[in-house]
Amino acid sequence: MSRILILIFIILFYCASYLINVSKRKETKYLILSFFILCTPMQYEFSLTAMNKNDMQGIWGRVINISLPTLLTLYFLFKVKIRYVFYSLSLNKWIIYIYGLIIVSFINPHNVDTLATFCFVVFLTSNLLFIILISANLSQYDFINGFYHSFSFLAILQFILAICFPVLRINFVTELFHGEIASEWATRMGTRVGAVGIFVHPGSLALFAIMSISFFLATFFNNYKRDKSLYLILLNIIITVLTYSRTSYLTLVLVICLLIYFYKFRYKTIFSLTNLVTFLVPTLGLLYYVVFLSPFSENFLKSDSSDMYEARTIHFIMSFMIFKSSPIIGVGINTHLNYFDKMYSIQKLLPHMDDFYSTNPIHNIHLITIAETGLLGISLWICFLFGGIADAKKQISLINEKNTIFSFTLIGFVFSYIFYGLTGWAPFQKGILPIFLLVIFSFYTFEHKSKKI
């Protein structure tokens, strides 16, 4: 019931914002983008198919859902000519590649659950179609305003929620958006506390906060609402700290240092020995301080870190065994848990096995990629990540380039995915992945438009 009331409040908030902007003769198009970003972590959707509790669900589940992007897409379908969809697809080769991987997954003889793969297709297509359609209606300035509006609101909201829990230990706020499951993860099933904000897990909140920092650093570098951006960066740093997520602390340090590094050498090569030393020495020193000398060092050295190391090791063994079964094309997108559940011969080879490993996705998005799509998929994934960074670096090296905000944002998002994804699967969650896709598509769309100007 609380989720419905929150959605009603959000709709009323945006209606009021729309009326205020109209009365002041200000632009309003960005509000629908802001609404999409704001609601994405809350995962508003309703199911068209029933869920069997005995089914392995995977990252994207095996239930077909109608989500918010689907409904927003219906609104835009009447505003955009269908040929624009195909034109936009032609601008981004990665969309073609991922649907190629999807076709391979469907015909893959190792795919034990094509319904799970189809659920991913529904999720991906609904989000991409919305992103394509909204990019046809909004300018680059509208996109920046939409991101700034929603990320600002979320920073303030999640800061308040993080103060309520864990600082003030007001437990009910952890159940407002995702119910009891979020409340359980807010205490890591009784091991240690951490803020969850509007997400299910502290790690998801931390990753989103780091991604937000990337955007606000981009606006700060480009003198767009510079003072406000600095305050919002600080808010998101505090939010990340209050999640007590070890991986997130390291990711936070690395992403901020790398973005500053890319900004400092934006007009120069970043691979010279002098420049690398300039980056590595302070970054490694800061990482050493966080792990061994800071007030948070206990999280790394004296808590349940050994248990988490064992869990990641077993997940690595699982992914390697699945990879050996089908090294070239994997076992099918969104199916690695289903596949492992049916391979009893593989399960017997593990040194330790319990429900955590059989019901939770592998805690490494890169290992998930290689397990589900094989060498074909991981090769494209690596090219996608580092190709995106290279393309963004080219954009920020151009003086007076209009796409620099999204260029820096993309770099921050990609590095967040690379580092956090080494020990978690939150980057692929439904509450985060659409925003990542939005930034990627926006970057390439505006890169193409800027070349034409």
Side-chain angles (χ1 to χ4, degrees), residues 188-208:
R188 262 76 165 201
M189 305 300 180
T191 58
R192 54 194 170 94
V193 298
V196 293
I198 63 174
F199 290 89
V200 177
H201 191 280
S204 303
L205 171 59
L207 175 61
F208 181 82

Side-chain angles (χ1 to χ4, degrees), residues 89-315:
L89 287 172
S90 68
L91 298 182
N92 198 326
K93 60 185 179 182
W94 295 110
I95 296 178
I96 307 300
Y97 294 159
I98 193 169
Y99 277 97
L101 286 177
I102 288 170
I103 293 172
V104 172
S105 288
F106 276 119
I107 63 176
N108 188 342
H110 295 278
N111 190 334
V112 297
D113 193 349
T114 53
L115 175 59
T117 302
F118 181 73
C119 290
F120 168 74
V121 175
V122 173
F123 162 77
L124 178 70
T125 304
S126 61
N127 280 283
L128 283 180
L129 188 56
F130 168 74
I131 293 170
I132 290 170
L133 293 175
I134 199 171
S135 67
N137 283 269
L138 272 63
S139 67
Q140 186 172 4
Y141 184 75
D142 292 326
F143 262 72
I144 294 172
N145 275 345
F147 270 91
Y148 207 101
H149 185 264
S150 56
F151 276 20
S152 300
F153 185 92
L154 285 170
I156 296 169
L157 172 62
Q158 305 215 85
F159 175 77
I160 294 171
L161 292 172
I163 294 299
C164 289
F165 189 90
V167 176
L168 300 179
R169 298 299 178 98
I170 303 175
N171 294 329
F172 85 90
V173 300
T174 62
E175 300 182 4
L176 288 176
F177 299 92
H178 296 284
E180 292 183 4
I181 183 65
S183 180
E184 291 175 359
W185 280 117
T187 61
R188 262 76 165 201
M189 305 300 180
T191 58
R192 54 194 170 94
V193 298
V196 293
I198 63 174
F199 290 89
V200 177
H201 191 280
S204 303
L205 171 59
L207 175 61
F208 181 82
I210 295 169
M211 291 165 65
S212 299
I213 289 170
S214 302
F215 174 74
F216 290 123
L217 270 174
T219 57
F220 179 82
F221 291 154
N222 287 274
N223 295 311
Y224 180 85
K225 300 182 180 180
R226 189 178 177 90
D227 292 339
K228 184 179 178 182
S229 295
L230 182 59
Y231 291 130
L232 291 167
I233 289 169
L234 294 175
L235 278 187
N236 278 292
I237 290 175
I238 294 171
I239 292 167
T240 306
V241 169
L242 291 176
T243 64
Y244 297 102
S245 169
R246 289 177 290 246
T247 303
S248 302
Y249 290 169
L250 303 181
T251 302
L252 175 67
V253 172
L254 288 168
V255 169
I256 291 178
C257 289
L258 280 164
L259 282 174
I260 293 174
Y261 176 64
F262 272 80
Y263 177 73
K264 181 177 181 181
F265 299 107
R266 60 193 181 279
Y267 302 134
K268 303 176 182 178
T269 178
I270 61 173
F271 292 112
S272 70
L273 180 61
T274 303
N275 293 348
L276 287 174
V277 171
T278 302
F279 164 73
L280 287 174
V281 172
T283 302
L284 292 176
L286 191 53
L287 289 173
Y288 181 86
Y289 170 78
V290 170
V291 175
F292 295 103
L293 303 176
S294 74
F296 311 107
S297 60
E298 185 173 339
N299 279 348
F300 295 93
L301 305 176
K302 297 180 182 179
S303 61
D304 60 343
S305 56
S306 60
D307 294 335
M308 293 299 98
Y309 176 79
E310 179 186 10
R312 268 59 177 185
T313 302
I314 292 177
H315 270 153

